[in-house]
Amino acid sequence: MSTKIRLDNLNIHFGANHAVKDVSMEVAENSVTAIIGPSGCGKSTVLRSINRMHDMTPSARVTGCIMLDDTDIYSRSVDPVAIRRRVGMVFQKPNPFPAMSIHDNVIAGYKLNGVLKKGDADEIVESSLKRVALWDEVKDRLKRSAMELSGGQQQRLCIARTIAVKPEVILMDEPASALDPISTLKIEELIEELKERYTIIIVTHNMQQAARVSDVTAFFYLGEMIEMGETRKIFTNPEKKQTEDYITGRFG
Amino acid sequence: MTLRSLVMRRATNLSATLLMGLATLMVLLPLGIIFYHIIKMGFSSINPGFFTSIPKPPGEAGGGMANGMAGSAVMIGMASLVGVPVGIFGAIYLTEYGGGRLATAIRFSADVLSGIPSIITGMVAYTLLVVPMKGFSALAGSFALALIMIPIVLRTTEEQLKMVPVSLREASLALGVPLWRTSLKVTLRSALTGVITGILLAVARVAGETAPLLFTALGNQFWSNKLTEPMAALPLQIFNFAIAPYEDWHRLAWGGALVLVVLMFTLSLAARWLGRSKH
């Protein structure tokens, strides 16, 4: 498998706060990489740097290098909007657009950009919803508000919305932490299927979840990446003592 | 002791309730008096002719304020054409793009601008437009009203935009939608009812403004369809007729006052209704 994303000496500051320190890692194409670590360890901050979401925060400063295939995404000549079209994101709290129907939420990426071709919409909606296993649950009420759905359904709708614009990478920021166990299970099954087409990086608080869904796990602590390796190895035989302490529940 | 403290507590409670009731009454009473008086004095002047004809010369009964209402509508409309977009885009700049010193300066200017007495706004419009154009005009009146609208629309829109959750903006940005499209189609769209409420309140505010029109639009006894000439406005007509020594004109002024108050009442109600239906 080839490398899809490479982080090289990534440092992220918020004002005087040095949130992410010298992180270097490689993410293989069509794999699931889990980032685990206690709260405030910088895992979400790293994730959000991969599609330049920090651009919106004036105090944020990102140094180092993030390569997406052969593109240095923080290069001056690169348009962040183009990066975000290749790198989609699913957030912690489901955030469908409240003023839009279920149908329109799926194609929101096209509609908001004003690039929807007539006649394409229904097909995109159906195939995207089928891929997140939501089609059967909502096919009779596509015109209803997305806010009528349960939290788990909303989150799958948000994933459908993300894959509808055909990204290459999907970033997931604790996508199941606000959901009940059954919805969580569905999201996890979905991740397993999605990795055939997409490269996925998932931040999670839930170590069992990381163990279940990921191929590779990275452990972060206090803004540094302590250890990264094959998930099975990280959870059975970690090299660093901090990693072992964390996964055995001694802190965090 | 317990009985005594119970009595004391009840007495305190009663007096506090009475005081608050009195305060409430004192808030409501002036509004009631104004409404009662205006309806009593103005209602008899309201007839179809009031809305279709222009004022008659003193001594002749009848006549209306149609030209004043039309003039107000024209000038408020033109002021909105400038004030609403400038206010909305200014607010989008402040909440979605700003954050630096410039944003602070704009916010401060808007606050100062909204605190400037409207007669001074009128004087500025006089100096900037009436003097160089060598004449009073509807254009100058609209300009003065727009200056009053901008800070109101700007600050209310800004408040509404700030209430839109960051998660919605992020959802849109993460789909590869540029910030400007996100600002218009997601953020502004989500805040739309609140923004419209703010616009209605701004319209209600300028609809009753008299001072900024005194030496800009000047007023007109007749129909006028040129923006470069003096134009009648409802509050101006009320002012001019109320200070005139003719009984017929006084009656017209009361009628105009009633129309103005009903208009503002309707706008405020519409604004409230819009603001509430969101929740």
Side-chain angles (χ1 to χ4, degrees):
Chain A
M1 280 195 282
S2 59
T3 301
K4 185 71 184 171
I5 299 169
R6 203 178 78 234
L7 276 57
D8 217 358
N9 276 315
L10 183 73
N11 281 278
I12 303 174
H13 297 257
F14 294 102
N17 174 21
H18 196 174
V20 171
K21 297 165 190 162
D22 290 324
V23 170
S24 298
M25 62 192 275
E26 289 191 8
V27 175
E29 196 164 12
N30 295 8
S31 70
V32 178
T33 302
I35 302 180
I36 60 169
S39 297
C41 68
K43 53 192 190 307
S44 288
T45 308
V46 168
L47 193 76
R48 292 166 61 88
S49 68
I50 301 173
N51 68 344
R52 293 194 56 169
M53 287 308 261
H54 294 307
D55 287 21
M56 301 307 299
T57 315
S59 67
R61 196 159 50 86
V62 179
T63 56
C65 172
I66 299 178
M67 298 296 288
L68 173 65
D69 291 331
D70 298 326
T71 314
D72 174 359
I73 71 165
Y74 280 94
S75 153
R76 268 171 192 280
S77 58
V78 167
D79 178 5
V81 172
I83 294 301
R84 295 190 196 117
R85 282 187 190 148
R86 295 173 64 189
V87 184
M89 188 160 197
V90 177
F91 298 85
Q92 181 170 5
K93 248 185 93 200
N95 54 358
F97 296 110
M100 291 187 192
S101 65
I102 295 168
H103 179 276
D104 287 358
N105 257 286
V106 179
I107 48 171
Y110 296 90
K111 282 190 76 125
L112 293 173
N113 268 320
V115 293
L116 190 65
K117 282 200 208 93
K118 266 209 153 145
D120 284 358
D122 292 342
E123 200 192 312
I124 296 172
V125 170
E126 183 170 344
S127 66
S128 305
L129 287 175
K130 275 183 174 161
R131 245 189 285 157
V132 299
L134 192 59
W135 175 251
D136 290 327
E137 292 164 55
V138 302
K139 65 181 176 207
D140 301 323
R141 46 175 173 154
L142 291 172
K143 296 291 173 197
R144 305 292 291 271
S145 163
M147 304 316 280
E148 290 177 15
L149 301 176
S150 73
Q153 288 172 324
Q154 285 185 11
Q155 193 62 302
R156 277 183 284 153
L157 179 63
C158 290
I159 297 174
R161 174 177 76 186
T162 303
I163 60 178
V165 293
K166 303 191 178 72
E168 298 158 33
V169 178
I170 302 177
L171 307 175
M172 297 186 165
D173 193 354
E174 302 188 39
S177 67
L179 306 179
D180 62 87
I182 292 173
S183 301
T184 302
L185 189 68
K186 283 186 179 165
I187 302 277
E188 288 180 7
E189 286 169 358
L190 188 56
I191 293 171
E192 191 63 38
E193 279 172 40
L194 289 176
K195 81 173 189 186
E196 285 172 19
R197 289 171 183 242
Y198 310 99
T199 306
I200 296 171
I201 306 179
I202 176 171
V203 160
T204 178
H205 253 107
N206 181 331
M207 278 180 278
Q208 287 79 15
Q209 184 172 67
R212 282 192 297 263
V213 301
S214 70
D215 305 309
V216 174
T217 298
F219 171 62
F220 276 64
Y221 184 60
L222 297 176
E224 288 177 76
M225 192 178 78
I226 305 298
E227 187 171 356
M228 180 174 180
E230 211 183 313
T231 298
R232 204 178 317 145
K233 184 169 177 302
I234 293 280
F235 280 98
T236 52
N237 187 20
E239 280 173 14
K240 301 277 173 59
K241 178 138 192 337
Q242 283 158 304
T243 315
E244 190 182 334
D245 287 348
Y246 182 69
I247 60 167
T248 53
R250 246 168 276 176
F251 78 96
Chain B
M1 275 314 272
T2 32
L3 187 69
R4 197 180 133 78
S5 72
L6 184 68
V7 171
M8 279 296 289
R9 246 176 347 107
R10 290 225 166 127
T12 317
N13 181 39
L14 186 70
S15 53
T17 311
L18 280 176
L19 270 175
M20 282 186 278
L22 194 69
T24 313
L25 203 66
M26 283 171 67
V27 174
L28 289 177
L29 205 62
L31 185 68
I33 293 173
I34 290 172
F35 264 112
Y36 172 76
H37 204 65
I38 288 181
I39 290 171
K40 192 180 112 188
M41 303 297 288
F43 196 71
S44 57
S45 319
I46 303 291
N47 52 42
F50 187 82
F51 296 96
T52 54
S53 53
I54 64 174
K56 293 255 171 81
E60 279 183 49
M65 289 188 159
N67 58 343
M69 288 181 252
S72 276
V74 166
M75 284 191 279
I76 292 169
M78 293 214 311
S80 304
L81 278 182
V82 177
V84 169
V86 170
I88 287 180
F89 284 110
I92 289 179
Y93 173 76
L94 289 184
T95 55
E96 314 299 310
Y97 291 81
R101 288 227 179 111
L102 184 60
T104 317
I106 292 174
R107 248 179 231 118
F108 182 70
S109 314
D111 283 344
V112 173
L113 195 58
S114 64
I116 287 179
S118 54
I119 186 121
I120 293 175
T121 311
M123 284 163 64
V124 170
Y126 177 84
T127 323
L128 289 180
L129 286 176
V130 176
V131 174
M133 289 172 75
K134 296 190 174 60
F136 299 102
S137 65
L139 215 57
S142 309
F143 175 74
L145 295 184
L147 284 187
I148 297 170
M149 279 185 91
I150 289 172
I152 305 175
V153 175
L154 187 124
R155 290 316 293 266
T156 51
T157 305
E158 191 195 356
E159 289 308 312
Q160 295 300 322
L161 292 179
K162 271 199 232 157
M163 278 161 56
V164 175
V166 177
S167 65
L168 280 188
R169 297 178 174 93
E170 288 188 339
S172 174
L173 291 171
L175 287 170
V177 181
L179 181 58
W180 68 271
R181 272 183 179 276
T182 299
S183 302
L184 291 179
K185 295 200 160 186
V186 177
T187 317
L188 185 62
R189 175 71 190 73
S190 307
L192 200 60
T193 47
V195 171
I196 293 174
T197 304
I199 294 170
L200 288 182
L201 290 175
V203 167
R205 161 82 195 277
V206 297
E209 282 292 350
T210 318
L213 299 178
L214 278 175
F215 25 70
T216 51
L218 189 68
N220 196 326
Q221 290 289 81
F222 307 99
W223 288 105
S224 68
N225 53 13
K226 284 212 181 107
L227 296 177
T228 48
E229 285 177 2
M231 187 178 269
L234 195 54
L236 273 181
Q237 270 182 339
I238 296 171
F239 173 70
N240 288 328
F241 286 20
I243 59 172
Y246 312 111
E247 199 50 43
D248 294 330
W249 282 18
H250 289 172
R251 264 201 293 283
L252 281 182
W254 281 113
L258 180 58
V259 169
L260 197 56
V261 165
V262 168
L263 174 76
M264 295 177 80
F265 193 66
T266 315
L267 283 173
S268 300
L269 273 185
R272 288 208 61 141
W273 177 78
L274 262 179
R276 195 179 319 176
S277 64
K278 191 167 59 171
H279 305 293

